[in-house]
Amino acid sequence: MKYHPLLPFVAACSLLTSCFKEEPLNAECDIEAVYFHLDEPLGTFYQLGDTLQKVLSDNTDVVFNVRREPAADLSLVEPQLVLTPGASVTSSARTVDEATGTVRWNYVVGSQDKQWSRAYTVSVVPTSRTVRDTVAYDFENFELEPQKKKYYVWHDELNDGQWGNNWATGNAGYQMSMGKAPADEYPSVPLADSYDGYGVKLTTLSTGPFGAVSNMRIAAGNFFLGKFDVANALTDAMKATCMGIPFDRKPLKLQGYYKYTPGKVFQDRNGKPVENRTDAADIYAVFYRNEETVTTSDGKTETRPVMLHGEDTKTNPNIVAIAQVAYVKPTTEWTLFDVTFDYMSEINLETLVSRGYNLALVFSSSIDGHHFQGAIGSQLCIDKVRVVCEKEE
């Protein structure tokens, strides 16, 4: 197996595990990471960081975007898999969609003890630049999460009309504490008869006795572009929200419609009521550079991917612009929000075209929900979200 320069940080957990004869055989059958090794990766991928993905524990559909122009030679592309210790690929198949140029590999991974298996799909998708001046995010495409069917997930519409998996919520974390709750009683659920078709309803809820034990007593309804890493939900909740997706146009405005009703009693992280404080919702967008060059301890320079998380979504030094609704006024009527991106630095056009920036759109029913503070019952409804971009000649 060829070495990949970004592999060590995702493979480290495997190196910490030793196999002893007296230990039981491993029952895990996961793909922990997928990467590609090419002599000239930037001839196929947009960024070096695009060649590797850490696979979240609840994700079985791994998608890599590659250049469509100049046409990528996908005959040279072959994924390399990092598996949980002892696991092995028991079957694999490769297919090509001639219409779109997408290449898919279907894998079944079996556990070391031969008792468990899991199916994965790895796709390499040729991707063109966004041509629309206004990118629309409607919420008509949703379904129950395919694996557990406990909560809802949403799909965005990609440039080619296909569905993407770029919307994320904290529903998977809520499922850990309130697993018996019906799907329609989770913090983030579809809203029928919304402003236009379906919208999204976000509600701050109690996490019950389990949440009290872990000192995470509430779960704010949240909805964002990015990924939710359920593996970090209990150990490092701030790292669980991975906010942002590659975006290749310069955003100018964030628009949409909302309704908001704050809950009756604001509580701190210990569950104690806070007098004279009313809960507030949060609506904002962040545009940031998704790679950075760092100097290692041995004096070498290397490029590393950047992802925003709960603790630095508005403060990371790689942020170049923010669009923030300063005050989400409570209202029971659908109300327009229309805010301008405030740029703190200029963007680089070459970097923009190469998908070197990420866009994060974030909605939450409690502005301090990531600190597990807010009012149970606070409810934010959103619909018909638009990102207006700078027109290009």
Side-chain angles (χ1 to χ4, degrees):
M1 181 181 294
K2 295 182 178 180
Y3 175 78
H4 189 288
L6 295 176
L7 182 59
F9 81 92
V10 296
C13 57
S14 297
L15 298 178
L16 295 175
T17 304
S18 300
C19 297
F20 299 95
K21 291 183 179 179
E22 63 269 20
E23 290 185 349
L25 298 178
N26 199 333
E28 295 180 335
C29 51
D30 299 330
I31 296 179
E32 296 183 334
V34 182
Y35 69 95
F36 292 88
H37 183 90
L38 298 175
D39 292 335
E40 297 182 4
L42 296 182
T44 300
F45 292 89
Y46 285 95
Q47 301 283 321
L48 180 59
D50 295 343
T51 62
L52 179 146
Q53 285 194 43
K54 178 184 176 182
V55 182
L56 303 185
S57 59
D58 60 344
N59 183 24
T60 58
D61 188 8
V62 185
V63 179
F64 290 82
N65 293 305
V66 298
R67 298 177 184 270
R68 184 181 295 276
E69 297 177 359
D73 186 358
L74 298 185
S75 66
L76 302 177
V77 174
E78 187 70 29
Q80 304 294 321
L81 311 179
V82 179
L83 307 179
T84 46
S88 60
V89 175
T90 59
S91 69
S92 64
R94 181 180 187 267
T95 60
V96 179
D97 185 332
E98 299 294 345
T100 64
T102 298
V103 182
R104 291 186 177 88
W105 291 264
N106 294 305
Y107 298 103
V108 175
V109 179
S111 60
Q112 187 180 33
D113 65 5
K114 311 297 183 184
Q115 299 300 308
W116 305 96
S117 64
R118 197 175 188 189
Y120 287 86
T121 299
V122 177
S123 303
V124 174
V125 182
T127 304
S128 301
R129 280 205 71 204
T130 303
V131 297
R132 293 168 290 178
D133 294 329
T134 297
V135 179
Y137 292 106
D138 294 314
F139 310 115
E140 309 300 320
N141 302 322
F142 57 88
E143 62 179 340
L144 287 175
E145 189 275 328
Q147 299 296 317
K148 299 178 181 179
K149 298 188 181 300
K150 291 285 189 177
Y151 51 85
Y152 288 100
V153 295
W154 283 259
H155 303 281
D156 54 319
E157 185 175 335
L158 305 179
N159 291 340
D160 59 3
Q162 301 295 310
W163 283 7
N165 296 303
N166 291 318
W167 283 117
T169 74
N171 280 347
Y174 187 75
Q175 192 268 333
M176 298 172 64
S177 61
M178 302 292 284
K180 294 183 178 180
D184 289 328
E185 296 180 10
Y186 271 65
S188 305
V189 301
L191 177 64
D193 300 322
S194 186
Y195 180 85
D196 183 10
Y198 277 93
V200 177
K201 182 174 68 173
L202 308 174
T203 308
T204 302
L205 300 175
S206 168
T207 54
F210 182 86
V213 170
S214 59
N215 204 29
M216 301 177 182
R217 291 174 169 80
I218 68 165
N222 61 4
F223 199 75
F224 59 94
L225 286 177
K227 300 290 183 183
F228 183 81
D229 187 355
V230 69
N232 280 326
L234 292 179
T235 58
D236 191 349
M238 290 291 193
K239 290 291 185 183
T241 50
C242 306
M243 296 178 174
I245 63 170
F247 197 77
D248 56 14
R249 296 292 299 271
K250 180 180 179 179
L252 299 179
K253 287 189 173 185
L254 172 66
Q255 301 172 336
Y257 291 86
Y258 82 94
K259 295 193 296 185
Y260 183 62
T261 302
K264 294 182 179 180
V265 180
F266 188 96
Q267 65 181 49
D268 63 17
R269 182 159 186 169
N270 296 316
K272 303 297 183 181
V274 179
E275 293 185 4
N276 301 319
R277 181 166 180 185
T278 302
D279 205 0
D282 208 9
I283 298 175
Y284 66 97
V286 179
F287 192 56
Y288 68 95
R289 184 74 169 88
N290 59 29
E291 285 192 343
E292 63 183 358
T293 301
V294 299
T295 302
T296 61
S297 58
D298 57 2
K300 297 180 180 179
T301 60
E302 63 180 41
T303 301
R304 294 179 180 174
V306 174
M307 176 61 70
L308 301 191
H309 302 284
E311 77 278 6
D312 66 346
T313 311
K314 300 178 184 178
T315 59
N316 189 288
N318 278 48
I319 295 173
V320 298
I322 295 179
Q324 171 82 56
V325 178
Y327 174 54
V328 182
K329 182 179 179 180
T331 175
T332 57
E333 302 294 330
W334 285 107
T335 303
L336 174 70
F337 61 86
D338 185 347
V339 288
T340 300
F341 279 83
D342 179 18
Y343 276 83
M344 293 161 276
S345 61
E346 294 295 323
I347 65 169
N348 181 286
L349 182 58
E350 182 178 347
T351 302
L352 182 69
V353 172
S354 297
R355 294 164 61 89
Y357 294 94
N358 276 8
L359 176 68
L361 305 184
V362 184
F363 307 89
S364 177
S365 56
S366 292
I367 195 169
D368 285 336
H370 57 299
H371 292 301
F372 305 99
Q373 300 183 113
I376 293 172
S378 291
Q379 189 172 102
L380 172 67
C381 301
I382 56 171
D383 199 5
K384 211 173 180 63
V385 173
R386 302 288 184 265
V387 177
V388 180
C389 302
E390 183 176 73
K391 293 184 181 294
E392 297 183 353
E393 299 296 333

